Amino acid sequence: MDSFLFSLNATAPVFLVMVLGYILKQIGMFTEQFCSVADRYVFKVALPVLLFRDIAQTNLYADFDPAFVGYCAGVTCVMFLGVWFLTARLMRDKRMVGAFAQGAVRSSAAVLGIAFVENIYGSAGLAPLMIVSAVPLFNIFSVVILTFSADGGAQGNGAVKRACINVLKNPIILGILAGLPFSMLRIEIPTIPLKVVDSVASMATPLALLVVGAGFEGAKALAKLRPTIAASAIKLVALPAAFLPLAVRCGFSGAEMVAILVMLGSPTTVTSYIMAKNMNNDSALASSIVVLTTLVSAITLTGWIFLLRVFQLI
């Protein structure tokens, strides 16, 4: 019972904030315009500032773990390439390949990673290192997969070049890069600027969760049930089942294991729908995967955290 309560305390507050966002949207307190502006604010300001602060205040010389970074980066590459290859070979409707492959792998690591680790341990811990290792690769692989899977493949090299530029201009990546010199050179941020940074950063996680909940459209988005269920099963069950034992063999535990679990088994990020829609892929399938993984992950993540707690890995 203690392990169950621990896992429930770790996941329930995160998803209840998302439910609150959904309720506020339904009663009209959150409008479409507000959600759109808030989403951009989180992506372009609050989340980059949060990552800047956490990286800047992380002692990379003491906290940097090459094995952990290598695990996160290596597993991310294997997941994307493996799922993409199998999807391209086995899926009959090739128009679904890009949205399916991306949706079955790409996690809400940047938002939920920090949320879960902070909720359990009171600080971001090694979640920033996981984000440094995995999130840039999430963006790069998603762009490549969607480009080569778009209708007719007409985008060609031009789309890849534009996508590479957009990745380099990604606010999350810029926030990470901005924090690295402070961490590596052990530069302390003065008190007044640090308080401003803390104020902005503290808004990132709760506002992001509220916006994700507000954007939930329920059964309306579940347009293609069979591929949606298949992608969700891969995302929430198969990938953690395949790679968590490897993490155990590598000796990871505690905040490391929670960050790895979020990288593997958190719901598909809403950004995957936006990218699929704008790159001429199956946006209906992408939306369905986001909805179902967000809904079911409340159960699966609680279950995975329960198992990790039972085996005394967190």
Side-chain angles (χ1 to χ4, degrees):
M1 180 60 71
D2 178 65
S3 296
F4 175 74
L5 291 176
F6 176 88
S7 58
L8 195 62
N9 287 333
T11 56
V14 173
F15 290 103
L16 287 176
V17 174
M18 296 171 66
V19 171
L20 176 60
Y22 176 78
I23 294 173
L24 293 175
K25 176 69 179 301
Q26 297 306 304
I27 66 177
M29 185 170 292
F30 282 3
T31 64
E32 289 287 349
Q33 182 179 7
F34 171 82
C35 292
S36 177
V37 172
D39 186 60
R40 291 199 305 272
Y41 172 78
V42 170
F43 179 68
K44 294 184 176 182
V45 180
L47 190 54
V49 170
L50 172 63
L51 293 173
F52 163 78
R53 183 197 66 183
D54 289 338
I55 294 294
Q57 294 183 330
T58 298
N59 186 346
L60 286 180
Y61 296 105
D63 297 335
F64 184 79
D65 185 347
F68 179 74
V69 172
Y71 173 90
C72 293
V75 166
T76 298
C77 293
V78 171
M79 289 191 301
F80 268 104
L81 292 175
V83 172
W84 185 21
F85 175 78
L86 292 175
T87 303
R89 292 289 300 272
L90 300 176
M91 182 164 281
R92 294 181 179 179
D93 190 345
K94 301 305 179 185
R95 294 172 297 180
M96 295 185 184
V97 170
F100 184 95
Q102 179 197 210
V105 180
R106 193 175 183 186
S107 300
S108 301
V111 175
L112 291 185
I114 292 176
F116 275 113
V117 177
E118 283 184 340
N119 196 36
I120 295 174
Y121 295 102
S123 65
L126 291 179
L129 276 185
M130 179 271 289
I131 293 170
V132 169
S133 309
V135 170
L137 291 174
F138 283 169
N139 285 281
I140 293 170
F141 276 113
S142 295
V143 167
V144 172
I145 291 172
L146 292 173
T147 299
F148 283 97
S149 303
D151 291 338
Q155 286 91 343
N157 293 331
V160 176
K161 292 178 181 178
R162 289 194 302 272
C164 290
I165 293 174
N166 288 334
V167 167
L168 293 175
K169 293 166 57 178
N170 188 295
I172 293 175
I173 296 177
L174 293 177
I176 292 171
L177 293 176
L180 287 176
F182 288 85
S183 177
M184 297 178 69
L185 300 176
R186 306 308 305 145
I187 301 174
E188 291 190 8
I189 304 174
T191 302
I192 294 178
L194 180 58
K195 288 186 176 181
V196 175
V197 169
D198 284 337
S199 297
V200 176
S202 64
M203 300 172 62
T205 299
L207 185 57
L209 295 175
L210 286 171
V211 172
V212 170
F216 186 81
E217 297 184 10
K220 179 181 177 181
L222 297 178
K224 300 182 178 180
L225 196 56
R226 290 181 64 183
T228 297
I229 292 175
S232 300
I234 293 171
K235 182 76 202 68
L236 302 177
V237 179
L239 294 180
F243 293 105
L244 281 177
L246 177 60
V248 175
R249 289 181 63 88
C250 291
F252 300 127
S253 62
E256 295 173 326
M257 190 62 75
V258 176
I260 288 171
L261 172 61
V262 173
M263 181 188 77
L264 296 171
S266 65
T268 305
T269 175
V270 293
T271 309
S272 64
Y273 163 74
I274 298 172
M275 288 183 59
K277 183 176 181 180
N278 285 277
M279 296 183 69
N280 298 320
N281 278 255
D282 194 329
S283 59
L285 176 59
S287 175
S288 298
I289 294 171
V290 171
V291 169
L292 189 59
T293 55
T294 300
L295 181 64
V296 179
S297 63
I299 300 172
T300 57
L301 277 175
T302 301
W304 285 118
I305 290 177
F306 174 77
L307 287 176
L308 293 176
R309 182 68 172 177
V310 167
F311 288 101
Q312 298 182 339
L313 294 170
I314 61 175

